Amino acid sequence: MKILVLNSGSSSLKFQLFKKADLSVLASGLIEQIGDAKSAAQLSFFDSSGVEQELKQNAPVVDHREAIKVMADMLRASGTLVDTEELAGIGHRVVHGGESFHQPVRIDENVISAIEELIPLAPLHNPANLMGIRVTMEHVGPTPQVAVFDTAFHQSIPEHAYLYALPYSLYEKKKVRRYGFHGTSHAYVARQAALYLDRPVEELNIITLHLGNGASAAAIRGGKCIDTSMGMTPLEGLVMGTRSGDLDPAILFYLSRESGLDIDALDTLLNKESGLKGICGENDMRTISQAAEQGDHQAKLALTIFCYRLRKYIGAYMAALGGVDCIVFTGGIGENSAIVRQLSCQGMERLGLCLDGKKNSIRQKEILEIQAGDSQVSLLVIPTDEEHEIASQTLQVIDEMNVS
Ligand code: ADP
């Protein structure tokens, strides 16, 4: 039997097919620019001899309904999924589970309504996730479908950390609070860290740093998240590719009054034109690091601001946790940028955090340990695998269903 994982975005559909027995990957695919004449679909898979193969299709994919059909056709053509009856379950990534979902759940009409009700909190993401859920439900009938929420891992954050210092009625009436995102990734790498260190997760204080285009930090005590840097939306916290992260909210009043920017313009400014891009005009960390190395002042500044904010969060979470055993770097930047790891740990030796420059420069796909011999804190680079985590949580829900 097999498990299919779907990540349905507003204009893309990512999917991965796993063998249920050991959660090894059988196929993974991406359909991009859905609804555009340039849409393209690709699938990589392992054939019956275990050799990696690729399938491509460039015909326009008009909507998500067609995308699901293209996915099914490609999986069938690859021989990895000939009949939907081979599926033990389907796991869907859902961005916002609000306060309703602390863990993955089997999808039924009530769950769909709850995800729908949460659309105001995630107007871009939840509708796209729902589209994927609805279309697959029509296609595969009784196969169990499971929703895995980006926010669920952060539901253990205590009240004093998730509430903003705003009138309490805004929380009661409008659910204004910190929710946090990237939960699937934080949960996955924290568990991998405990496995790698060969220590029970219950004994560990871990700080996980998911650094991709979006970036967030999480403070994890005994396997449970106690704080995270993203807030009610993914805009808060660390400096990101195009998002500002933390800033003085009064800047918005100032810009509105002085420059006449309306709410939509401010939204675009903070979400799409700020962060690394705002500072140096570029949001790709590879390009920025190269330019910084060649002496470009703005690129250097962007890199320094990014890492300084990160260092402040590491310090804050060391305080929140009362000490840390392990810090994990993950995501495209966390896994690949030695300079970001170096700058964000710089000057923290007195806090027990010492990076080994030589180990830090090694590039490998497996978990990499980068602390110096005298470091009190383990520093790990762990490749994230959100699809694997969704498959594993989907399997857990299916197993629990079969027991009860
Ligand atoms: P997303 O949030 O879109 O999933 P990723 O986790 O793929 O993003 O991370 C994208 C970021 O990772 C980009 O800023 C990219 O420049 C950066 N990145 C990828 N490879 C490297 C590398 N070798 N060195 C530095 N940064 C890298």
Side-chain angles (χ1 to χ4, degrees):
M1 295 297 277
K2 294 159 189 178
I3 306 265
L4 179 65
V5 169
L6 291 186
N7 181 352
S8 171
S10 52
S11 64
S12 70
L13 178 74
K14 283 192 209 151
F15 55 97
Q16 230 170 70
L17 185 70
F18 295 84
K19 198 190 228 178
K20 180 174 173 250
D22 59 1
L23 292 188
S24 56
V25 178
L26 297 168
S28 66
L30 171 64
I31 303 174
E32 283 181 297
Q33 296 186 278
I34 298 172
D36 192 293
K38 286 185 289 193
S39 50
Q42 62 177 63
L43 178 82
S44 59
F45 65 99
F46 293 97
D47 66 16
S48 50
S49 334
V51 178
E52 195 165 2
Q53 305 275 3
E54 237 185 46
L55 280 177
K56 285 199 167 149
Q57 183 190 303
N58 285 320
V61 179
V62 295
D63 57 15
H64 282 70
R65 188 169 303 279
E66 196 176 332
I68 297 280
K69 190 176 169 303
V70 169
M71 171 188 76
D73 288 347
M74 288 179 105
L75 287 171
R76 200 174 303 113
S78 72
T80 51
L81 186 73
V82 178
D83 194 314
T84 53
E85 289 197 353
E86 294 168 58
L87 285 176
I90 301 179
H92 294 268
R93 174 189 182 214
V94 180
V95 167
H96 219 308
E99 290 189 320
S100 314
F101 299 103
H102 296 221
Q103 48 209 5
V105 283
R106 179 164 187 188
I107 300 173
D108 58 19
E109 280 308 318
N110 291 333
V111 171
I112 291 184
S113 305
I115 299 172
E116 235 163 20
E117 278 166 25
L118 290 165
I119 287 177
L121 290 176
L124 297 179
H125 294 102
N126 274 26
N129 304 153
L130 271 171
M131 234 169 336
I133 292 174
R134 287 219 173 86
V135 180
T136 27
M137 287 202 99
E138 287 167 23
H139 266 265
V140 295
T143 308
Q145 313 228 17
V146 174
V148 178
F149 301 90
D150 270 18
T151 48
F153 181 61
H154 302 304
Q155 278 297 301
S156 51
I157 294 177
E159 209 175 24
H160 66 263
Y162 73 63
L163 281 179
Y164 294 109
L166 288 167
Y168 193 72
S169 57
L170 288 178
Y171 168 59
E172 292 177 305
K173 296 198 179 113
K174 295 282 172 203
K175 295 286 168 212
V176 175
R177 55 159 284 180
R178 175 186 309 287
Y179 291 98
F181 300 88
H182 292 145
T184 313
S185 174
H186 289 292
Y188 174 79
V189 295
R191 218 181 39 246
Q192 292 298 313
L195 284 173
Y196 179 83
L197 296 170
D198 197 20
R199 288 183 58 188
V201 75
E202 293 74 23
E203 282 178 9
L204 292 171
N205 284 350
I206 304 178
I207 297 173
T208 48
L209 305 168
H210 177 105
L211 312 174
N213 274 317
S216 66
I220 301 166
R221 178 185 291 139
K224 300 228 179 309
C225 185
I226 63 147
D227 207 348
T228 193
S229 60
M230 281 181 168
M232 173 156 156
T233 77
L235 184 54
E236 196 183 346
L238 301 175
V239 175
M240 305 179 218
T242 62
R243 295 189 196 120
S244 63
D246 296 338
L247 83 175
D248 179 349
I251 293 170
L252 302 182
F253 320 143
Y254 173 80
L255 289 178
S256 166
R257 290 185 189 123
E258 293 296 313
S259 310
L261 295 183
D262 67 11
I263 290 294
D264 289 333
L266 289 169
D267 189 331
T268 305
L269 178 77
L270 296 191
N271 275 299
K272 305 228 165 88
E273 294 164 359
S274 297
L276 296 169
K277 187 176 177 198
I279 301 160
C280 73
E282 175 58 60
N283 64 307
D284 191 304
M285 188 52 91
R286 262 168 302 206
T287 319
I288 294 170
S289 319
Q290 277 160 13
E293 220 170 282
Q294 287 156 11
D296 182 291
H297 178 261
Q298 291 308 113
K300 259 199 214 165
L301 191 58
L303 181 64
T304 310
I305 294 174
F306 182 92
C307 296
Y308 177 63
R309 179 84 53 90
L310 201 49
R311 207 154 73 221
K312 286 209 290 189
Y313 265 92
I314 294 173
Y317 286 174
M318 284 172 94
L321 288 164
V324 66
D325 300 295
C326 171
I327 298 177
V328 180
F329 291 87
T330 194
I333 298 174
E335 290 165 33
N336 297 298
S337 175
I339 185 72
V340 166
R341 296 193 298 254
Q342 184 202 318
L343 294 177
S344 55
C345 292
Q346 204 167 52
M348 295 178 91
E349 293 78 10
R350 285 180 68 178
L351 297 174
L353 214 154
C354 313
L355 183 119
D356 181 314
K358 225 175 181 177
K359 290 187 200 163
N360 186 40
S361 62
I362 299 172
R363 297 183 69 94
Q364 64 181 35
K365 282 195 170 155
E366 299 80 41
I367 295 182
L368 177 66
E369 208 169 331
I370 56 171
Q371 78 277 3
D374 54 350
S375 183
Q376 287 162 35
V377 179
S378 297
L379 301 171
L380 301 178
V381 181
I382 304 186
T384 195
D385 194 341
E386 285 160 289
E387 284 75 18
H388 186 280
E389 180 66 17
I390 294 173
S392 149
Q393 294 194 20
T394 301
L395 191 55
Q396 253 174 40
V397 173
I398 297 168
D399 285 345
E400 279 161 20
M401 264 165 43
N402 292 339
V403 169
S404 56

